Amino acid sequence: MLSERTYRVAVLGGDGIGPEVTQSALDVVRGAGVDLATTDYELGAARYLRDGFVLDQATLDELRGFDAILLGAIGPAIGDSRIPGGVLERGLLLRLRFGLDLYINYRPFRAVAGSLAQGCEFAIVRENTEGPYAGEGGVLRYGTDHEVATQGSVNTRFGVERCVRYAFERAATLAQPKLTLVHKTNVLTFAGDLWSRVVNEVGAEFSTVEVDYNHVDAACIYLVESPQRYGIIVTDNLFGDILSDLAGAVTGGIGYAASANLNPARTGASLFEPVHGAAHDLVGTGLANPLAAVSSAALMLEHLGEVDAARRITRAVQDFEGDVMTLGTLGVTKQLLERL
């Protein structure tokens, strides 16, 4: 069944295996009957090394006008020290999140066979534009014995509430509705109190959703020992960054983990990307695992309203059989297309 409209998608293939897995994702989306008009943007480590370009306002404004953005991977090869730390992270990835108001990072996890969390299915909703990543802080007496570095965490009622509300809306759709706030309220008393109060207040509107709380250190243990306790985890930017990588590891590896950077208000294009890195050592070998990129594209289709196509792609990924390293990128893509 073909989609009724054509969607304008900006494609940021990026570095390393990014272009390869992104192409697989696009092939699968089209194989599911969704029509895309794509525009490629060369952004990332390779572009920066060539001419120093990261992301300017004009390009950001262009990206805002697309229906969605599909990103492959960003970053230099391991050991390449030519790009100062933070240049791409803050100048490209965080600027996209802040500039397009991608205030929700949504990462669903479904454990693959043989993983530590086999049989579990849960998701992490991470506030994506505040917390320590907002950039508040500074340095005094840099490079001296008396250097002082500060790094603040920004938590606004507005930012916390819209994240918490989105998480409750997701939790309410689960067969067993449950939301767990993860924070460190016994130490981070100001931010933790704000998050706790907002969860309690918004939760009163969702009577069917069971509400729980875990300190972040306990949540790290539970994700390994008993991840089945979770439905939706809601948390701040920093804790969410750490927990989502751990969740990827215990459910089968970050090579399977998908990510959606969402603007639910739709004032700008939302961005979809696999969690894994650029894996420069696999470039050209045909062995890159495209499953996370394909799953990210399924999240993109869900956001665009192509729910049936998104479900069929997700099911094809869940039903995938075989060894990725044996089948290779093209073999995995072929199997997914056959299952559609």
Side-chain angles (χ1 to χ4, degrees), residues 8-14 18-19 21-30 36 38-41 63 66-74 96 259 269-274 292-301:
R8 297 179 61 249
V9 175
V11 178
L12 282 57
V21 296
T22 300
Q23 186 58 57
S24 291
L26 293 172
D27 290 343
V28 172
V29 166
R30 291 184 172 114
L36 303 179
T38 60
T39 302
D40 292 322
Y41 285 83
L63 293 171
F66 283 87
D67 294 314
I69 303 168
L70 190 62
L71 186 149
I74 297 293
L96 285 169
S259 174
S270 292
L271 183 150
F272 304 84
E273 59 177 325
V294 172
S295 294
S296 299
L299 292 176
M300 178 182 74
L301 294 185

Side-chain angles (χ1 to χ4, degrees), residues 95-110:
R95 189 175 183 189
L96 285 169
R97 293 176 190 173
F98 297 151
L100 300 176
D101 202 20
L102 306 177
Y103 58 89
I104 295 293
N105 183 271
Y106 174 68
R107 294 188 182 181
F109 297 94
R110 186 179 188 276

Side-chain angles (χ1 to χ4, degrees), residues 9-244:
V9 175
V11 178
L12 282 57
D15 303 306
I17 61 171
E20 299 174 41
V21 296
T22 300
Q23 186 58 57
S24 291
L26 293 172
D27 290 343
V28 172
V29 166
R30 291 184 172 114
V34 179
D35 191 21
L36 303 179
T38 60
T39 302
D40 292 322
Y41 285 83
E42 186 184 5
L43 299 171
R47 175 70 187 273
Y48 176 80
L49 290 173
R50 189 176 76 244
D51 58 20
F53 184 85
V54 181
L55 178 67
D56 61 11
Q57 189 61 45
T59 305
L60 183 62
D61 290 340
E62 284 183 28
L63 293 171
R64 190 187 316 279
F66 283 87
D67 294 314
I69 303 168
L70 190 62
L71 186 149
I74 297 293
I78 295 175
D80 188 340
S81 60
R82 291 176 293 171
I83 303 178
V87 167
L88 296 178
E89 294 84 355
R90 297 206 69 88
L92 178 54
L93 298 177
L94 292 187
R95 189 175 183 189
L96 285 169
R97 293 176 190 173
F98 297 151
L100 300 176
D101 202 20
L102 306 177
Y103 58 89
I104 295 293
N105 183 271
Y106 174 68
R107 294 188 182 181
F109 297 94
R110 186 179 188 276
V112 301
S115 66
L116 291 174
Q118 183 169 328
C120 291
E121 190 169 355
F122 59 91
I124 295 177
V125 174
R126 163 190 170 193
E127 199 292 315
N128 211 31
T129 59
E130 295 188 347
Y133 294 1
E136 185 198 40
V139 177
L140 295 173
R141 298 188 291 273
Y142 180 81
T144 73
D145 293 339
H146 304 286
E147 182 172 344
V148 179
T150 63
Q151 196 79 59
S153 179
V154 177
N155 298 264
T156 69
R157 169 72 193 217
F158 169 75
V160 172
E161 182 171 345
R162 64 182 183 174
C163 174
V164 167
R165 186 169 297 279
Y166 179 87
F168 269 106
E169 290 170 353
R170 280 281 186 180
T173 67
L174 301 178
Q176 295 181 314
K178 183 177 181 180
L179 178 142
T180 303
L181 169 63
V182 173
H183 211 280
K184 192 68 174 172
T185 56
N186 59 335
V187 177
L188 304 176
T189 53
F190 302 120
D193 178 64
L194 174 59
W195 276 86
S196 295
R197 283 187 286 112
V198 171
V199 166
N200 290 335
E201 292 167 18
V202 176
E205 303 174 26
F206 294 85
S207 59
T208 63
V209 178
E210 177 187 351
V211 180
D212 195 10
Y213 170 79
N214 292 157
H215 288 325
V216 64
D217 44 349
C220 290
I221 296 172
Y222 297 148
L223 275 174
V224 174
E225 294 184 345
S226 56
Q228 67 274 4
R229 69 170 58 215
Y230 294 118
I232 295 288
I233 294 173
V234 64
T235 189
D236 80 349
N237 208 335
L238 177 59
F239 293 151
D241 192 1
I242 296 167
L243 288 174
S244 55

